[in-house]
Amino acid sequence: MNNEAPTEHPFKSIVTQWLSKLKIAKKVKDERFGKAAAEAMKFYAGNHDFMWSEEYASGSGGFLSKNSMAAMPTFRMTVNKPFEAVALFGPALYMRNPTVQVSPLLPPSIPDEALGIDPNDPYMMQQLQVMNQQEAIQGAMKSADSSVISCYLNWLIQEQDLKVASRRTITEAIIKGMGILWIEMFTNRAGDFTYPRAVHVSVDDFLQDPDAEYVEDVQWIARRCVHPVNLVERKYGLKPGDLKGHLQSYAAQGNMDQRDKERVKRQKQGQSFDLIEYYEIYSKNGFGDRLKGNSAEKSKYNFESFGDNCYLAVAHGIPFPLNMPSWALAEGPEQMFMRSQWPLPMWVDEGCGNGWPCTRLTFYEKPKDVWPMGLFHACIGELRFINWCMSFLADKVAASSTTYIAQAKAAGVEIQTQLKGGLAPYTVLEISEMMGKSINDVVSFLQAPNFSVDIWNMVSQVMNMIDKRTGLTELLYGITSSQMRSAKEAEVKDQNISVRPDDMAGRVEDWMSETTLKLAEAALWNVDPQGAGAVVGQKGAMVWNRMQTSGIDQVVRNYSFRIEAGSTRKPNKENRVRQLQELGQVALPVMQQFAMSGVPGPWNAYMQESAKAMDMDATPFLVEPPPPPDPNQPTPEQQAAQLEMQKTQMEMEAEQAKTQMQLQAEQMKMQMEGVKTQQNMEQDQAVHKQEM
């Protein structure tokens, strides 16, 4: 067991400074986000009477002043609007594991003529041909890369059943305002299979730079973890007893306040194992030596050599970073550098994503604030008022349902017993002495006042205000208070009611796209070609190896990671059937012609989609493709080629015959001209003889 004194470790001041910054960050988070998020969670899953506790009602930010003498209701209840939001929005946002589409970012297609190259220049034409060949090869390689990544990611999502973690995150985002998925590597217990996974981390365990006004300005984030001591030692390569010894020896060190002492005490008293609470810190601005107020020893250890993107884990009562114990300092600068780096260097995608090992889901941002606003933060006052009114209304109903009976005390015992032993909602008033007066003179009020409907109308109006702010309108419940007068009115209402859910669904799909990008990065960093080949095959493993050697930044910047639209959401089958019917009115005649011509693909695809939307079996409606051609018979293309060759041959033969005929005609013409010349010569000779 290594029981080193806290003063012996040179990084103790850095740990102290980080713990101080974490405390400040938690305070800022509570003021801007945490209190409202915790209150919304209490409405969702707290006790039904939590609102009436003195700590909540009269505490900081409560609805009663500390010196208030307001009466408290007897019947205490909570109108659980957050549960309605989760029950309605949750299934609409995420129901199934998504389908990932990875598309290569290809250069624009530029015609050769647009380059202004002289077609008569053989050198430039050769260069253009080489350029086109290179672009074709690069396009084929990128297409293969995207196919391999898509295959692996779709398998990965199914393997880890991402919808479970995502539904937890979406639920927390609806209730509190933010949900987080954390990317980490997972290795099975046998140690023979490794892959990245996205796990849900509660926003309660998430902290970030309190100085930042925009997400782009955040310089560090932290994740709170509570795990058994032995597993933490194994995770950071510590020696058995390193952490346990410190927890036992330094739980009462003098520089800890009472809250820290209680925290360290609690973290040793788990129900099953000794636990430790620690924070994983991801910094983009150094290891901690640059923190304001830090007095770390800079002469002996060159913290600048660690770089800007550093990782460390700190815990109360531990005077050293968990990833940098004293005995590790003697391993040399190279090992210290490796220990100070992020487990997954997600900072490489800072220009394409958020550059952190997590993805955040939010629905409503606040200007100049890294902490968002929750769905119920805008109506928390009305929500408190509704709960106040409903509790008092319950008491009012009970009081209005009670009948008061006045009886003379001297009445018979039998009558008193019958009245007092009854189970009806009434109360007996005993009057000891009538003093010669009638009972109406002694008791002037025996019946509670009538219930005023104005109170309920006021509550109903406030309910409507809450529904409008949260989007929980009656159409979302599938009900309507008034009958629609036309199909156009129904269409307009349907479009308007889907604006908010569609916007939320779009944010969920963007968030899942960013998550898949980070999963792809983590896989290419840590999964070897052999491990990937079990999913993508041998050829895919070769492509995987090429992507790893070409650099991860190329994958980040050369591909678009998108979730297929609507693949995560619950299908609206009625809307799907209507869309298919509208498509069929235009496309079915053309599809029928294709099917009759031996191309049944479009028709079969339409039938399958229609049957799927109507929960039917599409098999009876599918058209069988034409039988494959006889290998001994020429294909239509071959027949066309043969006909073309025959036509060409006939044209050549006709041309040859024509040429032959022309030659023969020329020869005959020449012979005739020769004969004519001979005759002329003979005539000339005859004339000459006569003249002589």
Side-chain angles (χ1 to χ4, degrees):
M1 184 178 298
N2 188 4
N3 291 331
E4 56 193 13
T7 56
E8 293 181 357
H9 201 288
F11 295 169
K12 178 185 175 183
S13 60
I14 289 181
V15 173
T16 303
Q17 283 297 316
W18 273 117
L19 292 174
S20 175
K21 303 307 177 186
L22 293 172
K23 187 175 181 180
I24 296 174
K26 188 177 187 306
K27 181 179 179 181
V28 172
K29 172 188 174 182
D30 289 342
E31 294 174 353
R32 299 180 182 177
F33 175 82
K35 291 181 180 179
E39 186 172 11
M41 191 65 186
K42 287 181 180 178
F43 277 105
Y44 176 73
N47 294 330
H48 71 280
D49 61 344
F50 84 93
M51 186 175 150
W52 306 101
S53 65
E54 183 177 356
E55 179 183 0
Y56 176 82
S58 302
S60 176
F63 59 89
L64 290 180
S65 62
K66 294 183 178 180
N67 300 324
S68 174
M69 301 300 293
M72 291 292 183
T74 304
F75 188 89
R76 301 174 179 180
M77 63 180 296
T78 298
V79 179
N80 200 335
K81 281 292 181 180
F83 176 81
E84 296 179 30
V86 171
L88 289 173
F89 287 130
L93 296 178
Y94 203 100
M95 181 184 178
R96 301 169 294 180
N97 282 320
T99 301
V100 183
Q101 293 179 334
V102 181
S103 304
L105 301 178
L106 299 175
S109 178
I110 301 176
D112 296 344
E113 296 79 5
L115 300 178
I117 297 177
D118 184 4
N120 297 321
D121 187 344
Y123 175 76
M124 294 302 299
M125 293 301 296
Q126 184 179 5
Q127 293 295 320
L128 180 61
Q129 184 178 4
V130 172
M131 190 185 307
N132 291 335
Q133 290 177 351
Q134 290 178 348
E135 287 189 354
I137 294 173
Q138 291 178 358
M141 293 173 63
K142 286 187 175 181
S143 179
D145 295 348
S146 60
S147 299
V148 169
I149 299 175
S150 296
C151 175
Y152 186 84
L153 288 178
N154 284 306
W155 168 83
L156 188 63
I157 289 173
Q158 298 294 332
E159 175 69 17
Q160 62 180 303
D161 201 6
L162 186 58
K163 69 173 179 286
V164 175
S166 298
R167 286 182 70 96
R168 295 173 185 169
T169 306
I170 291 173
T171 298
E172 191 168 41
I174 294 173
I175 299 171
K176 299 180 180 179
M178 178 187 283
I180 296 175
L181 281 178
W182 207 277
I183 312 301
E184 63 182 19
M185 295 304 300
F186 170 76
T187 303
N188 63 348
R189 293 186 178 274
D192 58 354
F193 205 78
T194 298
Y195 60 82
R197 64 179 182 180
V199 297
H200 167 69
V201 172
S202 174
V203 70
D204 298 341
D205 298 329
F206 178 76
L207 295 173
Q208 55 186 337
D209 185 3
D211 297 328
E213 294 181 345
Y214 301 97
V215 176
E216 296 81 5
D217 300 331
V218 173
Q219 297 299 312
W220 62 267
I221 65 172
R223 173 188 175 184
R224 172 184 172 271
C225 303
V226 179
H227 295 134
V229 173
N230 66 306
L231 296 183
V232 176
E233 291 175 338
R234 185 184 307 170
K235 176 179 179 179
Y236 292 104
L238 301 177
K239 301 174 182 177
D242 275 355
L243 298 182
K244 186 176 181 181
H246 284 291
L247 289 174
Q248 290 176 345
S249 301
Y250 301 117
Q253 56 185 316
N255 61 346
M256 294 175 60
D257 58 23
Q258 185 61 31
R259 183 179 301 179
D260 291 336
K261 294 177 184 178
E262 294 175 356
R263 182 186 294 110
V264 174
K265 182 178 180 181
R266 288 196 307 270
Q267 68 189 13
K268 295 191 301 178
Q269 296 176 350
Q271 299 298 319
S272 300
F273 302 97
D274 288 341
L275 303 177
I276 179 173
E277 178 191 62
Y278 63 99
Y279 291 86
E280 294 182 331
I281 302 172
Y282 295 79
S283 171
K284 291 184 179 180
N285 196 13
F287 192 73
D289 55 299
R290 304 169 186 171
L291 293 174
K292 185 178 180 180
N294 182 64
S295 59
E297 183 183 352
K298 298 183 180 181
S299 59
K300 185 176 180 180
Y301 296 98
N302 183 14
F303 295 106
E304 294 295 331
S305 64
F306 293 169
D308 291 335
N309 304 290
C310 295
Y311 166 87
L312 68 161
V314 298
H316 289 277
I318 307 297
F320 59 86
L322 301 182
N323 57 319
M324 201 74 70
S326 294
W327 53 266
L329 303 182
E331 294 178 345
E334 184 176 351
Q335 288 299 321
M336 291 177 62
F337 172 82
M338 296 300 298
R339 285 179 172 271
S340 67
Q341 300 305 295
W342 290 18
L344 294 173
M346 293 294 180
W347 45 265
V348 300
D349 72 348
E350 188 172 10
C352 305
N354 60 20
W356 300 105
C358 62
T359 56
R360 318 177 204 192
L361 173 63
T362 61
F363 297 117
Y364 302 100
E365 291 80 16
K366 290 187 291 186
K368 297 187 68 174
D369 197 342
V370 293
W371 293 106
M373 183 174 69
L375 181 63
F376 294 93
H377 184 66
C379 61
I380 196 66
E382 289 86 348
L383 198 56
R384 290 173 171 179
F385 177 77
I386 288 297
N387 283 276
W388 174 277
C389 289
M390 294 296 288
S391 296
F392 277 104
L393 282 175
D395 285 353
K396 185 69 175 177
V397 170
S400 300
S401 303
T402 301
T403 302
Y404 296 91
I405 300 177
Q407 68 170 24
K409 191 174 183 180
V413 176
E414 182 179 353
I415 296 177
Q416 293 183 20
T417 303
Q418 292 177 3
L419 292 174
K420 293 181 178 180
L423 299 178
Y426 56 72
T427 299
V428 176
L429 303 177
E430 294 185 350
I431 302 176
S432 61
E433 192 173 351
M434 297 294 292
M435 296 176 292
K437 299 180 180 180
S438 67
I439 191 170
N440 291 329
D441 294 334
V442 177
V443 180
S444 60
F445 177 76
L446 293 178
Q447 185 176 3
N450 293 329
F451 184 85
S452 176
V453 72
D454 294 337
I455 301 177
W456 177 252
N457 289 337
M458 179 182 63
V459 172
S460 180
Q461 290 298 323
V462 178
M463 281 280 200
N464 289 334
M465 293 170 59
I466 296 175
D467 291 343
K468 290 178 180 178
R469 294 187 190 179
T470 58
L472 300 174
T473 58
E474 58 183 16
L475 291 177
L476 203 60
Y477 291 86
I479 59 177
T480 178
S481 57
S482 60
Q483 186 175 2
M484 297 183 185
R485 294 168 292 181
S486 64
K488 184 64 177 178
E489 179 183 359
E491 182 180 354
V492 171
K493 287 187 175 181
D494 181 67
Q495 292 176 354
N496 292 339
I497 196 62
S498 62
V499 169
R500 188 179 307 211
D502 287 346
D503 176 68
M504 298 174 71
R507 289 174 177 262
V508 170
E509 289 172 358
D510 292 341
W511 165 66
M512 287 305 304
S513 298
E514 185 179 359
T515 301
T516 57
L517 168 62
K518 294 185 179 298
L519 288 172
E521 292 172 354
L524 289 170
W525 278 318
N526 294 277
V527 179
D528 56 25
Q530 182 178 0
V535 178
V536 300
Q538 295 182 358
K539 292 183 178 179
M542 297 175 64
V543 174
W544 191 274
N545 182 66
R546 176 168 52 78
M547 287 189 293
Q548 285 185 325
T549 55
S550 63
I552 307 301
D553 58 332
Q554 298 297 322
V555 177
V556 175
R557 292 169 174 80
N558 290 342
Y559 299 89
S560 173
F561 292 76
R562 294 296 304 170
I563 294 297
E564 182 178 336
S567 65
T568 66
R569 304 177 63 184
K570 179 181 179 180
N572 188 332
K573 294 188 176 181
E574 293 183 1
N575 186 42
R576 184 63 173 166
V577 170
R578 179 174 57 82
Q579 292 174 341
L580 288 168
Q581 290 175 348
E582 294 177 356
L583 174 64
Q585 294 177 0
V586 179
L588 271 180
V590 180
M591 295 179 184
Q592 289 175 350
Q593 294 180 3
F594 274 113
M596 294 174 63
S597 302
V599 185
W603 172 273
N604 291 342
Y606 182 83
M607 289 295 108
Q608 290 173 345
E609 289 296 326
S610 299
K612 180 180 178 181
M614 293 183 286
D615 294 329
M616 297 175 59
D617 183 12
T619 304
F621 308 100
L622 301 181
V623 177
E624 293 291 338
D630 187 354
N632 298 324
Q633 295 293 331
T635 62
E637 292 79 6
Q638 293 174 343
Q639 292 178 355
Q642 291 176 359
L643 290 174
E644 187 68 22
M645 292 178 61
Q646 292 176 1
K647 180 180 178 181
T648 303
Q649 186 175 1
M650 291 176 64
E651 291 177 349
M652 293 176 61
E653 291 176 353
E655 188 68 23
Q656 290 177 358
K658 181 179 179 181
T659 304
Q660 186 68 25
M661 292 177 64
Q662 289 177 349
L663 290 174
Q664 292 177 357
E666 290 290 336
Q667 291 176 357
M668 292 178 64
K669 182 179 179 181
M670 292 175 63
Q671 290 177 359
M672 291 178 65
E673 289 179 351
V675 171
K676 185 177 180 180
T677 302
Q678 183 67 27
Q679 291 176 353
N680 291 336
M681 291 176 63
E682 291 177 353
Q683 290 178 359
D684 291 341
Q685 291 177 358
V687 172
H688 181 68
K689 289 180 179 182
Q690 291 178 0
E691 291 178 351
M692 298 210 32

